C-alpha cells in the first residue's frame, strides 16, 4: 500500500484532509471543555492551554494528533497525572511560597470543615495521596468515536457517488 494516499484522486485527498482537520479541532475543543469544568474544576486554565492538535499527511496516510504539549516537564506531568492518575503511593508536597504549608479546610470523617479562624500550619512535608485518573482526553475521544467513523464514512460515500 506504499503511496496509497497519494494515489487517491486529489478531490478525495482534499475531502479527507478537511474532515481530519475538522475532527482534530472538534476533539481538541471537547477536551478543553472537559478540563474547563465538565470533568475537572477549572482553576488557572493552564491545563486547557496545554491541549493542542496537529494534522500530518505523507504519501501513505493523513493523521491527526490531539494531546498535551506543555512548556515544562512539570506542566506535562501535571496534565498526564490528571489523565492517567498518580501511580504508586503517596508523594510529598512542599510549601511553595512560604516556610509552612497552610490548610484552611480539613477533613473530619466524610465532611470537609473550615478550620478555626487561623489556618492549620505544618512546617514539614505532607504526604499527598496519588491523584485519581480523570481521563479527560480518553472520554472526549470515546464521546466522538462514533461521530468520527460516521463522518469518514460519509466522506467516502460522497466521493464514490460522484
Amino acid at each position: 500500500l506504499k503511496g496509497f494516499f497519494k494515489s487517491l484522486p486529489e478531490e478525495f485527498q482534499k475531502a479527507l484532509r478537511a474532515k481530519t482537520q475538522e475532527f482534530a479541532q472538534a476533539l481538541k475543543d471537547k477536551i478543553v471543555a472537559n478540563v474547563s469544568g465538565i470533568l475537572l474544576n477549572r482553576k488557572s486554565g493552564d491545563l486547557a492551554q496545554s491541549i493542542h492538535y496537529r494534522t500530518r499527511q505523507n504519501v501513505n496516510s493523513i493523521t491527526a494528533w490531539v494531546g498535551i504539549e506543555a512548556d515544562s516537564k512539570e506542566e506535562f506531568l501535571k496534565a498526564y497525572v490528571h489523565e492517567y492518575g498518580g501511580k504508586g503511593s503517596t508523594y510529598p508536597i512542599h510549601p511553595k511560597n512560604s516556610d509552612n504549608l497552610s490548610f484552611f479546610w480539613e477533613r473530619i470523617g466524610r465532611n470537609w470543615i473550615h478550620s478555626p479562624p487561623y489556618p492549620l500550619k505544618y512546617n514539614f512535608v505532607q504526604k499527598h495521596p496519588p491523584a485519581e485518573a480523570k481521563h479527560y482526553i480518553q472520554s472526549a475521544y470515546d464521546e466522538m468515536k462514533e461521530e468520527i467513523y460516521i463522518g469518514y464514512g460519509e466522506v467516502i460515500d460522497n466521493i464514490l457517488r460522484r
Side-chain angles (χ1 to χ4, degrees):
L1 292 175
K2 192 166 184 134
F4 174 74
F5 189 75
K6 277 293 195 189
S7 70
L8 296 172
E10 181 59 35
E11 180 183 19
F12 197 23
Q13 290 180 43
K14 185 177 178 182
L16 288 172
R17 276 193 301 271
K19 188 55 81 172
T20 301
Q21 184 80 17
E22 176 188 326
F23 282 140
Q25 178 67 51
L27 183 57
K28 176 191 181 265
D29 292 345
K30 189 169 280 295
I31 293 167
V32 168
N34 282 349
V35 300
S36 299
I38 293 174
L39 291 179
L40 297 171
N41 293 326
R42 185 177 181 146
K43 300 262 182 182
S44 67
D46 292 342
L47 186 54
Q49 292 173 10
S50 73
I51 306 300
H52 299 277
Y53 78 93
R54 287 192 298 275
T55 58
R56 193 180 93 194
Q57 177 185 332
N58 61 32
V59 296
N60 298 315
S61 64
I62 182 164
T63 58
W65 172 88
V66 182
I68 305 162
E69 282 185 355
D71 293 332
S72 69
K73 180 180 176 182
E74 290 78 20
E75 288 176 21
F76 177 82
L77 290 175
K78 181 179 176 183
Y80 181 91
V81 165
H82 279 300
E83 175 67 16
Y84 299 104
K87 307 292 185 211
S89 61
T90 60
Y91 60 94
I93 55 174
H94 304 274
K96 192 175 186 181
N97 298 320
S98 71
D99 295 332
N100 298 309
L101 289 171
S102 300
F103 300 95
F104 286 93
W105 295 87
E106 64 179 309
R107 190 172 192 138
I108 306 283
R110 290 184 161 170
N111 301 314
W112 286 93
I113 63 162
H114 191 271
S115 293
Y118 53 89
L120 301 172
K121 290 195 178 207
Y122 300 96
N123 60 2
F124 54 89
V125 175
Q126 292 291 299
K127 294 289 187 181
H128 193 285
E132 273 186 50
K134 300 292 194 254
H135 302 298
Y136 58 94
I137 296 173
Q138 184 63 49
S139 65
Y141 173 73
D142 289 344
E143 289 176 39
M144 287 193 63
K145 188 172 18 179
E146 188 173 336
E147 179 184 342
I148 292 169
Y149 289 144
I150 291 170
Y152 280 121
E154 289 171 352
V155 168
I156 294 167
D157 195 42
N158 289 338
I159 295 294
L160 294 177
R161 287 181 188 221
R162 290 182 186 169

